[in-house]
Amino acid sequence: MSAGNTFKRFISLLLVTILCLGPASGAWAAQPAKDDLKGHWAETTLRQWINEGLLKGYNGLYQPNEPITRAELVTLINRSFKLSNEAGSISFGDLSPSHWAYSQISVAVHAGYAKGYSDNTFQPNQLITRQESANMIAGYLGLKVADPTALQAFKDAASIASWSRQAVAGLANAGIVSGNPQGLFLPQDKLTRAEAVALLEKAKNYRQPATEFAKAGVYGPSEGQETIKGDVVVSVPGVTLRNVTIEGNLTLTAGIGEGDAHFSKVTVKGVTTIQGGGANSVHFEDSVLVRISVDKRDGTVRVVVAGRSTIEHVVVHSPVTLEESALTDSGFKNVELAESLPAGAQVQLKGVYEDVSILSSDIKISLPSGSIKQLNVGSGAANAEINVGKEASIADLILSSVAKLLGEGKIEKATVNSGAEGSSFESRPASLGGAASGSVDAPAASSSGGSSGGNNGGNNGGNNGGNNGGNNGGNNGGNNGGNNGGNNGGNNGGNNGENPPACQGTTEECRVASLSDISIEGYTLHQLNSEYNNVGEEGFNSQIFAYSVITDRTMSPATVSVSVTQSTYSTIRYHVWGKGDEWQKSDTLSEENATIEIDLKAMEDSRLYMTVYSGDELSSKIYQVFFQYPRTIQEGIKFSTYESSTGNRYVELQKGSINGERLLYSDTVLLFNPGETEPFLTCPSSCSFAASSLSSLTGTWNVQILRGDQPLATGQYQYDFNEAPKLTSDIGLEVVPYTKQELIDAFLNYHSSRPYKFGLTVFADKTKLLATLPGAKYVSFGFSHMTDTVSAFPPGLTKEDFKIGIYPAGYSGYPMANAGRIQDNPSESRFSIYSMLSLQSDPQWENGIVNDLFVFVGLYDENFNLIGQMVIPVVFDSEHIPDNFQTGNNWNPTQP
């Protein structure tokens, strides 16, 4: 088997696309033909969809009886329910950002109804089965049910896969799916295009499309109460929703990022799912919610309730801070720390809680203030660490697993059941009982504790008080030092200990973690959304966290002053990166009005990254300012290449930034051969074409870019598809996979939503690299998975593939679109220049195999000219994958 037939070669991830598809060409391509809908059983519905703009054919052909692919179905689902917000990032092994359906699949992932397979692929071009389609649609509608009764209507119910049974049952209950005249569901049959439309038409009618708030602002009436039928989605920061009753679910998507969302006098009858918000607050004031599910993919979210708010039940799947502020009602009632909460996760509870249940193992819970009526540590929740602050209390603690209780807070009653043997208490509960109470480690009763303290204080007060006070901020000095220790420990701890002085402002003043102004004399701030697209507004807005500043292409080197204004008690930690995203400086600012100096040069980008911490250190927000030179068409787009699974080579468009503004996915790019007035290719979103259609590997195209019907830019693009030079000598690069333990440590340290499947680090040998390539200053990386046994290296990438800088460094987007700086004079002889980690798929999709891969390396000189490329195979063995995984054993260069 040749190498070309045994793996899919692409720039960074597996790319499988052969069609130029989008809004103009529809969800599938076809050949010109007569009306193929006339007389079809679904003709009425199909024509209705065509009239509504939901279904688009090609040259009048719709092929209703042809099977539909996974990518085509998610496109139709998104159109059906008017879904448009994309996930922050997706990384399937076979899906390039330039695939025609990349954005549609990103929308599907963001909406939560589509996931990849266990091998980290999405398989967009795979024909979808009826049961797979049911899983997607029921997932979006929230119709999966555990009751299998509805499946009895299908004679072949036993053949429905276990992972799809709840979905099929839910859709059947809702009347959205039914059997054929023979009473069969046919779960393994491929779904046809007509069946997809008919299915989605019923799904649309079953539930009103979600109401999405995708732009910052205040929504809802100033008085009275508005009712929203169906679900509500908030997908950007800075949204305030007031005086609204939501009959469906409320979802706060990851698009909120680290921003705020405010809800005032809002009632949610369904489930409120929080996927974004970060350390900045999601606020509910005078609101009533039945159930909150906290499930943020990365990082911690802070949820605050105030006023006359009632939250019946909170289920926590990810790190969170739950906080009650100025409540006049019950606030959070019942909190469940779900079994899915990852090990090492931290949960902070502030307020008065009726019932808290811990079902997850190896997590940390802190209660700095407030109280819990009953805290139940379940039988499967081993090794929980619970810190009860001095101002906090637990009325009834029930331990059914081993737990560690820290802090000086009061525990009135503790019941230690079988299974909790070996639990420990820093402060003894007032009442201690239960079958395993005799096995716990707890201080003696208060009378003996006082006597012991007096003796220790007399003998060792000076030493213990002074030392412990200095190290721990005075607390231990008071406890261990007796009279002298208390005095010395308190003084030394207060002056020299680690605990910082408390914020001196009011609670609200100490809670502020936002800037009130950013200004740069002589320059304009252009507001960007979470995808770094220009939103059309200028100037500063505290709820906008990214800005673009456009510099002059011919400017002389200059230093500009960025003026920032923060609250009295907050602190700014900032970083500045320059050319090639090379770090320049960092510092901390505590002044209300401060200035940051940025060095700017012509044709070079810079980036200012500011984290604002509140005075009470409970909140933070991140603001970024991108200084970018306006790119031409030649500089702001590129054309990468890839090979399909059949070995055919294709060219695909990648959009960057033009004239200081990032191109939108919906911007249309027209390509013209020189001297021609009709484009040979129209890309309404992104597209690809066969490389065999190129008349030459080098040449020039005329390019026109449209936004809607308006011209955005015109110019020429000179392309070069010649293979980039290969570096055949040993330049000292080595790719090392993460070990099994390093994968575990990364999962615990980064608080990832799922464990990692594999990771790798690229190391450089300082002596070899400097000796062989002294001019190498920047590097870019990509990788491709091997999907079968591979015995030969893949073809080298083209010069177009290694083109970099199509948008400013720091923007998310295409792999290999930017390069990173190589350290000029690293202190170590062997140093890291690149590292990456890949998450495991959800259990239902994970096949437990880690395939070998190729890493593509591009090296550039000081002016970003490509020096050459290297291809390095990476082989995984049992010591470099998780315990429950197997190696793919793909790389076998000795095989004939």
Side-chain angles (χ1 to χ4, degrees), residues 292-328:
I292 291 179
S293 174
V294 179
D295 194 6
K296 187 183 179 187
R297 186 183 182 99
D298 296 299
T300 299
V301 61
R302 174 170 166 257
V303 183
V304 179
V305 296
R308 300 184 61 184
S309 291
T310 299
I311 316 295
E312 290 292 334
H313 198 82
V314 181
V315 180
V316 176
H317 301 280
S318 61
V320 69
T321 293
L322 301 179
E323 181 177 336
E324 296 178 341
S325 175
L327 270 177
T328 57

Side-chain angles (χ1 to χ4, degrees), residues 219-236:
Y219 300 92
S222 57
E223 297 180 356
Q225 196 78 2
E226 176 186 343
T227 298
I228 298 179
K229 301 286 187 181
D231 298 339
V232 168
V233 176
V234 176
S235 54
V236 294

Side-chain angles (χ1 to χ4, degrees), residues 41 299-300 303 522 548 860:
W41 63 267
T300 299
V303 183
S548 172
Y860 307 81

